[in-house]
Amino acid sequence: MNNAHSPRHRQALIPIVWILGTSGVGKSTLGHRLLTELERAGVQAAFADADQLRLASAIDASEEDLIAASLPDLARSFQRKGARCLIVAGLADSDGQLRSLLPRWPRDRILAVHLDADEESIRRRVLERGWLTELADESAAYARRIEAGFADLRMDTSAQTPEALAQAVSHVVLDWLRRADDQTEATIDEAVRPNAHRLITITGPGGVGVSTTGYQVFAHLARSGQPVGYVDATQLGHLGSRSRAADLAPMRAANARSVARRLAEAGASTLVVSGDASSINLIEHGGEVEAHDFWLVASADALAERIAASARGDGPPVQGNHRLGLEGDELAASIEAAVIEAQDPSPRNGRRVIDTSDASPQAVAEEIVAHIQPGSVGGPVDSP
């Protein structure tokens, strides 16, 4: 990654809509639906999951510190592409914690939206999600710890459909944005960020399992006690309805670099960065960085099976999954596009190619880790 220091300058920060609540209450679902609802009203918004900014191990920074450091970078990046606000899904159980997560924003430029539900609904949603179901009781307990009344808007989601909830919240957001736009904007300085010593990039055709593999590589390195951070470039590009647009690849790459550098600044000596090829191709290597670049491939049958599973919603929940619900001709077109991309040798750009056709993400991650540092592989770790 480029080692040049970023110049210091000042730029206004766009308003933040912070969606809070316990796990399984629908924060990310609402965030993505708000992108569409606001776009219909002529307002372009961006979305970020705070969890994507805190994936690090054995470093000298708290999760709150990592989130607080990266959000201003993302806000500026999305603002340059026309976003009028940044929607964030993240945990916050008090006004004090919210302010520590957003120290650069005045409180009147933050709209805190608290999604709540009864305990039975929370447990049912975590179980229905089918991922990390052992957290159902913990999620219900956390909901009780959220400070009552500190949010600007509280929505009980127990009996609301995601569509109705998004419509209701979007009206509040639009009215709030009109008032926020009339206020004096805060400004901040861009910080200087150092690089890590080792950079691992993982990419490949759509549907091959890049993100899942990337996280497993991070998890393996974390289990060994190494200071390591993980960045998923695809999850840092949610802008309106064009999140996967090819012309937004430079923005996705810039966002990935920003978060990666913040993790390195906090002490991560190894960075794992995954994402689509067009974005990963723009992640530069500095001459002093130990770089390992991987391209994942799979057979046409394996890609078809994985994309069909993604369309059904199988496996870990992926925010902004553009394949979810695809059927018939749309599903066939998605599979065909992935197969064509997999057969094109040009995006590989000298990367080490790994065939994942008959291997689990955990096995692929073990192969990558074995190539980087032989003898250091371990068992699989659940995704966050």
Side-chain angles (χ1 to χ4, degrees), residues 54-92:
R54 62 169 183 82
L55 296 175
S57 178
I59 62 172
D60 295 326
S62 69
E63 293 181 353
E64 288 185 7
D65 292 337
L66 295 176
I67 295 169
S70 284
L71 279 174
D73 298 330
L74 293 184
R76 280 193 299 271
S77 177
F78 285 125
Q79 185 178 25
R80 292 179 189 123
K81 287 296 183 179
R84 283 183 56 193
C85 70
L86 173 58
I87 302 164
V88 181
L91 298 179

Side-chain angles (χ1 to χ4, degrees), residues 5 24 46 135 144 159 167 192 204 225 242 328:
H5 290 310
L135 300 181
R144 295 193 297 270
Q167 291 175 3
V192 175
R242 303 183 61 247

Side-chain angles (χ1 to χ4, degrees), residues 1-4 195-197 199 283-291:
M1 298 178 72
N2 196 321
N3 193 42
N195 288 320
H197 301 301
L199 175 66
I283 305 293
E284 307 96 342
H285 297 171
E288 73 290 352
V289 175
E290 176 191 332

